[in-house]
């Protein structure tokens, strides 16, 4: 039984793992940290994953905007990934998620929003463009990611080399199946366009969040099995400054006596 709101589970030089009691507390913690970052550096370059995990964090950042007098007008917003062939207007696309939950309510200036165009004829060109933008912005201050049940982050599926920048990925069966949850009807999901792990490793801060028992097995694998491209999310242990926020359900397979081995 967790008696603290946030139990520091494991602290290493480069990685901190915190366990929060539930999804709400986890999201509140993440939103608080991100707001702190923006108050410290108003033109912070933030990269966000879409999906169910960061949804409440983004909503809380919107809710707290007024009360905490946060100025979001100068942030630079980068979308982690997008489903290839899905238009930004399609409900369920990463772009529509970002606009609905965060960008539209906060009226983030268009020129500060950097999302993949997954309908582009030249997807490789889209990748180069995103890499160039990130370079011109001076790199990512905070990268906020979730974890898929197969260990992917963004569309970096198992066995993807860790030194890639933006790229187009063939989606694994499990990603295609799980991804249906975002869409209203059955949707053809074959490829994704995504930032690579070189971006993740180069980001000044990394925040990985996981919630729910469905993620507990892969969280345990990512944090305790040997770091390997077979388990993409194990890359977080190679990052110089990573914070892993878990709710008690996602942390339920971890033993406090046997935290990360590396
Ligand atoms: P979720 O997706 O946040 O909707 O669980 C995570 C992922 O598959 O990357």
């Amino acid at each position: 039984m967790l008696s603290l709101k946030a139990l520091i589970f494991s602290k290493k030089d480069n990685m901190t793992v915190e366990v929060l009691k539930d999804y709400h507390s986890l999201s509140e913690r993440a939103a608080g940290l991100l707001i702190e970052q923006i108050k410290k550096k108003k033109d912070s370059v933030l990269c966000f994953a879409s999906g169910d995990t960061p949804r409440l964090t983004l909503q809380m950042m919107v809710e707290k905007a007024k009360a905490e007098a946060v100025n979001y007008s100068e942030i630079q917003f980068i979308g982690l990934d997008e489903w290839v062939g899905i238009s930004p207007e399609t409900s369920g696309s990463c772009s529509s998620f970002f606009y609905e939950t965060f960008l539209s309510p906060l009226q983030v200036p268009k020129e500060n929003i950097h999302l993949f165009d997954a309908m582009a004829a030249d997807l490789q060109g889209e990748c180069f463009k995103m890499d160039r933008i990130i370079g011109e912005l001076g790199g990512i201050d905070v990268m906020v990611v979730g974890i898929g049940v197969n260990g992917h982050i963004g569309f970096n599926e198992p066995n993807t080399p860790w030194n890639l920048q933006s790229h187009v990925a063939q989606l694994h069966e499990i990603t295609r199946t799980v991804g249906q949850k975002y869409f209203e009807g059955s949707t053809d999901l074959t490829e994704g366009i995504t930032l690579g792990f070189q971006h993740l490793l180069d980001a000044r801060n990394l925040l990985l969040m996981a919630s729910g028992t469905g993620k507990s097995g892969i969280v345990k694998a990512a944090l305790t099995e040997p770091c390997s491209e077979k388990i993409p999310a194990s890359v977080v242990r190679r990052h110089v400054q990573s914070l892993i926020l878990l709710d008690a359900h996602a942390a339920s397979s971890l033993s406090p006596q046997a935290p990360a081995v590396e």
Side-chain angles (χ1 to χ4, degrees):
M1 188 77 171
L2 296 168
S3 54
L4 296 172
K5 189 174 168 217
L7 172 71
I8 296 191
F9 187 85
S10 151
K11 171 85 184 96
K12 296 181 161 285
D13 287 345
N14 63 333
M15 183 175 86
T16 303
V17 181
E18 288 184 16
V19 181
L20 289 298
K21 79 173 168 4
D22 55 21
Y23 178 58
H24 190 274
S25 310
L26 167 86
S27 307
E28 198 150 53
R29 174 81 171 127
L33 289 169
L34 288 157
I35 287 173
E36 221 174 87
Q37 163 71 30
I38 294 162
K39 285 187 170 171
K40 232 172 30 200
K41 184 179 182 231
K42 58 183 189 308
D43 58 350
S44 288
V45 181
L46 306 177
C47 171
F48 271 92
S50 57
D52 292 336
T53 311
R55 186 187 304 276
L56 188 55
T57 301
L58 288 163
Q59 288 168 344
M60 285 179 169
M61 289 174 75
V62 173
E63 277 165 27
K64 290 173 194 282
K66 243 203 187 127
E68 299 205 19
V70 197
N71 174 10
Y72 289 101
S73 66
E74 291 182 44
I75 63 162
Q76 296 287 338
F77 187 99
I78 295 170
L80 177 65
D81 54 9
E82 185 58 278
W83 307 96
V84 167
I86 304 291
S87 75
E89 297 78 33
T90 305
S91 174
S93 69
C94 303
S95 296
S96 78
F97 169 88
F98 289 134
Y99 274 100
E100 276 163 32
T101 54
F102 189 77
L103 299 171
S104 297
L106 290 174
Q107 296 180 304
V108 175
K110 218 171 168 23
E111 62 274 21
N112 295 7
I113 300 171
H114 314 284
L115 304 176
F116 284 115
D117 174 3
M119 300 288 283
D122 178 11
L123 290 172
Q124 194 49 54
E126 272 299 296
C127 292
F128 290 141
K129 186 171 141 200
M130 185 61 91
D131 295 344
R132 182 177 46 75
I133 290 170
I134 292 172
E136 285 171 2
L137 291 173
I140 296 168
D141 288 305
V142 188
M143 190 145 169
V144 183
V145 299
I147 176 173
V149 286
N150 68 347
H152 75 197
I153 291 178
F155 290 131
N156 291 273
E157 300 282 35
N159 301 312
T160 303
W162 284 0
N163 62 354
L164 296 188
Q165 295 200 310
S166 300
H167 59 279
V168 175
Q170 289 298 317
L171 302 179
H172 283 200
E173 185 57 42
I174 189 159
T175 301
R176 287 189 257 173
T177 308
V178 173
Q180 298 297 326
K181 70 176 174 170
Y182 305 118
F183 298 93
E184 276 152 24
S186 168
T187 305
D188 182 25
L189 305 172
T190 314
E191 290 182 320
I193 182 167
T194 183
L195 263 62
F197 279 175
Q198 193 59 55
H199 291 303
L200 179 144
L201 290 166
D202 290 344
R204 285 183 272 285
N205 297 278
L206 174 64
L207 173 54
L208 179 137
M209 293 189 280
S211 164
T213 37
K215 299 285 173 72
S216 64
I218 191 62
V219 163
K220 182 178 183 197
L223 298 185
T224 64
E225 285 181 23
C227 275
S228 145
E229 288 170 354
K230 285 189 217 145
I231 309 171
S234 63
V235 74
V236 299
R237 285 144 62 199
R238 293 273 189 260
H239 194 275
V240 290
Q241 188 68 43
S242 63
L243 173 62
I244 317 299
L245 292 184
L246 307 173
D247 71 7
H249 306 288
S252 58
S253 297
L254 293 169
S255 147
Q257 281 74 43
V261 290
E262 174 181 0

